[in-house]
Amino acid sequence: MAAEGGGKEMNEIKTQFTTREGVYKLLTHSEYSRPNRVPFNSQGSNPVKVSFVNVNDQSGNGDRICFNVGRELYFYIYKGVRKAADLSKPIDKRIYKGTQPTCHDFNPLTATAESVSLLVGFSAGQVQLIDPIKKETSKLFNEEVGSSYHCFEDNFPLADLSPCFLLCFSFFLFFSFQRLIDKSRVTCVRWVPGSESLFLVAHSSGSMYLYNVENTCGTTAPHYQLLKQGENYAVHTCKSKSARNPLLRWTVGEGALNEFAFSPDGKFLACASQDGFLRVFGFDAAELHGTMKSYFGGLLCVCWSPDGRYIVAGGEDDLVTVWSFLDCRVIARGHGHKSWVSVVAFDHCTTSVEDGDLPAEFSGSDEDFHEQNHFSAGRDRANSSHSRLSKRNSTDSRPVSVTYRFGSVGQDTQLCLWDLTEDILFPHLPLSRTRTHTNVMSATSPPATGQPPSTLTPNSNTGSSNSSSSTTFATLSLHDSRKERHEKDHKRNHSMGHISSKSSDKLNQLSSSKMAKADAAKTLGTTLCPRMEEVPLLEPLVCKKIAHERLTVLIFLEDCLVTACQEGFVCTWARPGKGLLSSQNNPANSPSGTVV
């Protein structure tokens, strides 16, 4: 296994780790949490989420952070690696009754030093638009609506009613209110890229809704008309004489829609559902581009590579799965977590293309790449702020050196970093550096006794974990410690250690038939869900236990990466050479207990 240390060290909470770039260090003074710094009792609460926005402040300190803990929502100036966090001075703090924040998202197009637009989704189904700088609440979407009060009062004057009858009336009035659009928990909310007014909301009901902040939701239930229908999805428009919300309703798969993500150019939408399917749509045309099935269980998270060529998804099979957007197929899986994977994210600062040209199938311009998709752009698109991988016509078949870095965190409290390199992406091409022969493992077959792990280690010695210059890339085989790690109990019964590729009955027993129309035994071994031995199996570059409670956030920033756990602690990890706090390693300043 690529993670450093072993034995007792595996259970220690780590405060630093080493990659080929150098040492990443936890900055204890840059930890954000509730002002009292007391660990939150997370039982029964929604996951802690974090959102960032830059307001282009003239002082150069324009980053703002928002995070939810239980019923509370906090908004701070984020000082990152530069200065210590001052938790005594939140810009805004809100405490909600009867519901909890579940997710939130800033609109980067409208953010200024005087105003920001923040969408907040809630466990009861509402979506709120607030401005935490002005401390205002602009609008509430999918709010409860009731008409019984007006009808009842017209026929029965309230002043003439007895107190007993009024009590019964108030009881009836309370239960007469209802949510007209969707009553289920909001699982994900995002502004539509390039738009100042459109946003998309996903619910645990499996539906998504497109809203416009300028429209109202109306006082009656919306009536829908079918716009487009395909395999396990449908899109409806809202029929109304006047403009109202929602503009569109998507029903995707069966079960909850756990997360969605827009492609860097905003033209495609990737959806991770509880039925175990990844579905990728052309957003404007509402057309299905491709699908993928998890090895087992639901998919919980999804993200795009900075160039939009690859999608990574994670979920209840403890795996991270890499899916090619162009080929519509699984190209690799990664196994390093011991429980459900809750977040996946690409590191746009480390992803790179080095000397050489891209293969012919990846040549051409962005316009050529998207020319085949005739989508009507019904709104202005902003150019993606994500980094683009360079592309040139390849006529001499020179090899390319590509490294995609992505990370994942899970309910096992571990952070894993992965390198996706050209030996995985372009296995038919000669490599720009020598690599050792690797074997693809079966999901149920341990590596041969005495067989050394195959690693790709250019310009470094294999296994030199104590050297900051050591380099370990993604591999096709697992370390010898994998067998020992498989013997440990997982935190969830639905873990990869319980899967047997020889028993389709057991696989079907673990996969609920109500959560997917496609039989799991039928999809296994197809392009939707290749068998474990049919695709490369990646080993994590880094695998560290960094928290006491399950991890719920992983965000890569220019000078650091940010993680958060369910206890309500948001941690900053300085990139190599970026930590500027002189007292960052003082254990006395870490009430979260994450320093050993």
Side-chain angles (χ1 to χ4, degrees):
M1 183 175 173
E4 300 171 12
K8 293 183 179 180
E9 294 183 2
M10 295 294 294
N11 296 320
E12 293 179 352
I13 306 298
K14 304 299 181 182
T15 59
Q16 66 179 39
F17 56 86
T18 302
T19 66
R20 67 174 183 273
E21 306 92 56
V23 180
Y24 288 73
K25 295 182 179 180
L26 176 66
L27 304 181
T28 57
H29 278 175
S30 292
E31 182 180 83
Y32 287 78
S33 67
R34 296 187 299 171
N36 58 14
R37 292 185 179 270
V38 175
F40 175 69
N41 183 3
S42 59
Q43 186 174 4
S45 298
N46 289 285
V48 174
K49 298 291 185 180
V50 174
S51 297
F52 284 98
V53 70
N54 189 286
V55 299
N56 300 315
D57 193 347
Q58 297 292 336
S59 65
N61 191 19
D63 290 331
R64 302 291 184 266
I65 183 174
C66 173
F67 59 92
N68 60 288
V69 181
R71 298 185 297 113
E72 303 168 8
L73 187 73
Y74 293 92
F75 182 70
Y76 282 96
I77 295 176
Y78 180 70
K79 301 179 181 179
V81 302
R82 298 178 298 274
K83 296 180 181 179
D86 185 2
L87 300 183
S88 65
K89 298 179 180 180
I91 299 176
D92 194 14
K93 172 187 175 181
R94 303 186 181 217
I95 302 177
Y96 297 92
K97 295 182 180 180
T99 187
Q100 294 183 6
T102 58
C103 51
H104 32 82
D105 189 43
F106 288 104
N107 193 328
L109 298 181
T110 60
T112 66
E114 294 76 29
S115 175
V116 294
S117 296
L118 177 66
L119 291 169
V120 184
F122 291 90
S123 57
Q126 315 98 314
V127 178
Q128 192 178 49
L129 176 62
I130 65 175
D131 188 335
I133 294 181
K134 295 181 178 180
K135 299 184 180 180
E136 295 177 352
T137 299
S138 299
K139 289 186 177 181
L140 183 64
F141 303 91
N142 192 28
E143 70 271 29
E144 287 184 329
V145 176
S147 58
S148 299
Y149 172 82
H150 301 287
C151 179
F152 200 98
E153 188 177 14
D154 290 340
N155 295 281
F156 298 91
L158 297 182
D160 298 336
L161 299 179
S162 65
C164 181
F165 191 88
L166 281 175
L167 180 62
C168 296
F169 168 73
S170 62
F171 182 83
F172 165 77
L173 180 64
F174 177 81
F175 283 98
S176 67
F177 279 83
Q178 57 181 328
R179 218 169 297 285
L180 299 178
I181 298 176
D182 200 304
K183 302 177 183 179
S184 63
R185 177 174 57 94
V186 176
T187 56
C188 187
V189 60
R190 293 280 188 273
W191 291 97
V192 174
S195 176
E196 296 184 1
S197 58
L198 299 178
F199 63 93
L200 193 63
V201 181
H203 289 258
S204 60
S205 63
S207 295
M208 289 189 300
Y209 301 89
L210 180 65
Y211 289 83
N212 188 323
V213 295
E214 305 297 333
N215 297 345
T216 63
C217 292
T219 57
T220 59
H223 296 280
Y224 297 105
Q225 181 178 1
L226 182 65
L227 175 66
K228 184 159 294 187
Q229 189 172 15
E231 184 178 358
N232 288 326
Y233 85 96
V235 182
H236 294 79
T237 59
C238 183
K239 295 179 59 178
S240 177
K241 294 181 179 179
S242 59
R244 63 161 293 177
N245 285 317
L247 304 179
L248 295 176
R249 182 187 71 180
W250 295 60
T251 53
V252 180
E254 297 187 10
L257 204 165
N258 292 319
E259 189 176 40
F260 63 83
F262 284 99
S263 61
D265 61 7
K267 294 183 178 180
F268 295 91
L269 184 71
C271 301
S273 298
Q274 189 61 37
D275 61 8
F277 279 89
L278 167 72
R279 297 176 176 89
V280 182
F281 298 94
F283 183 61
D284 286 325
E287 293 180 348
L288 184 64
H289 172 80
T291 60
M292 181 271 289
K293 177 69 171 62
S294 68
Y295 194 78
F296 165 75
L299 288 178
L300 305 178
C301 51
V302 63
C303 68
W304 292 78
S305 64
D307 58 354
R309 299 189 184 280
Y310 302 99
I311 297 174
V312 172
E316 296 174 357
D317 55 8
D318 305 353
L319 303 171
V320 292
T321 303
V322 185
W323 190 78
S324 170
F325 175 83
L326 289 178
D327 299 333
C328 292
R329 66 180 181 89
V330 175
I331 62 171
R333 291 191 180 102
H335 188 206
H337 288 282
K338 295 180 286 186
S339 188
W340 297 356
V341 179
S342 52
V343 182
V344 288
F346 273 88
D347 184 355
H348 61 281
C349 294
T350 308
T351 296
S352 64
V353 174
E354 300 173 0
D355 295 336
D357 293 319
L358 284 173
E361 62 267 30
F362 288 92
S363 62
S365 63
D366 286 342
E367 290 75 19
D368 296 335
F369 173 64
H370 293 292
E371 189 176 38
Q372 58 181 319
N373 304 298
H374 302 285
F375 297 110
S376 58
R379 61 193 176 279
D380 294 333
R381 300 283 190 187
N383 291 330
S384 171
S385 60
H386 294 273
S387 59
R388 286 276 177 183
L389 298 184
S390 59
K391 300 192 289 282
R392 295 190 296 251
N393 290 329
S394 178
T395 56
D396 54 2
S397 298
R398 287 184 299 167
V400 63
S401 180
V402 182
T403 301
Y404 291 86
R405 167 70 58 79
F406 66 92
S408 58
V409 295
Q411 297 192 10
D412 56 359
T413 71
Q414 291 193 130
L415 163 69
C416 292
L417 296 181
W418 314 79
D419 272 355
L420 186 63
T421 52
E422 72 270 17
D423 55 334
I424 304 296
L425 302 175
F426 321 125
H428 58 286
L429 294 178
L431 299 182
S432 59
R433 54 179 181 266
T434 303
R435 67 177 176 91
T436 57
H437 177 71
T438 56
N439 295 321
V440 178
M441 278 191 56
S442 168
T444 57
S445 301
T449 305
Q451 179 182 355
S454 301
T455 56
L456 184 63
T457 56
N459 303 324
S460 65
N461 295 326
T462 304
S464 179
S465 59
N466 296 327
S467 172
S468 61
S469 62
S470 65
T471 305
T472 307
F473 289 89
T475 62
L476 305 185
S477 64
L478 302 182
H479 201 277
D480 291 338
S481 62
R482 173 61 49 80
K483 182 178 181 180
E484 177 183 353
R485 185 150 57 86
H486 266 297
E487 297 174 357
K488 296 183 178 180
D489 291 335
H490 286 200
K491 291 189 175 183
R492 291 286 187 271
N493 290 331
H494 308 324
S495 60
M496 186 180 170
H498 295 275
I499 298 176
S500 172
S501 61
K502 298 180 181 178
S503 175
S504 61
D505 293 337
K506 187 174 182 180
L507 187 62
N508 292 333
Q509 180 182 357
L510 295 174
S511 300
S512 173
S513 59
K514 295 182 180 180
M515 298 168 62
K517 289 185 178 180
D519 189 358
K522 294 180 181 179
T523 59
L524 184 63
T526 67
T527 55
L528 285 177
C529 181
R531 298 183 184 275
M532 294 299 293
E533 64 270 16
E534 294 175 342
V535 294
L537 189 60
L538 306 180
E539 180 183 339
L541 172 70
V542 167
C543 191
K544 295 290 185 181
K545 180 180 175 66
I546 62 171
H548 290 294
E549 287 292 331
R550 62 185 185 274
L551 293 164
T552 59
V553 172
L554 174 62
I555 300 174
F556 290 95
L557 302 178
E558 184 176 353
D559 52 6
C560 62
L561 62 90
V562 176
T563 62
C565 69
Q566 195 56 23
E567 284 184 315
F569 296 105
V570 182
C571 298
T572 298
W573 300 76
R575 292 184 186 269
K578 298 293 185 179
L580 302 179
L581 297 179
S582 59
S583 56
Q584 63 192 30
N585 292 322
N586 184 1
N589 294 291
S590 180
S592 66
T594 56
V595 175
V596 295

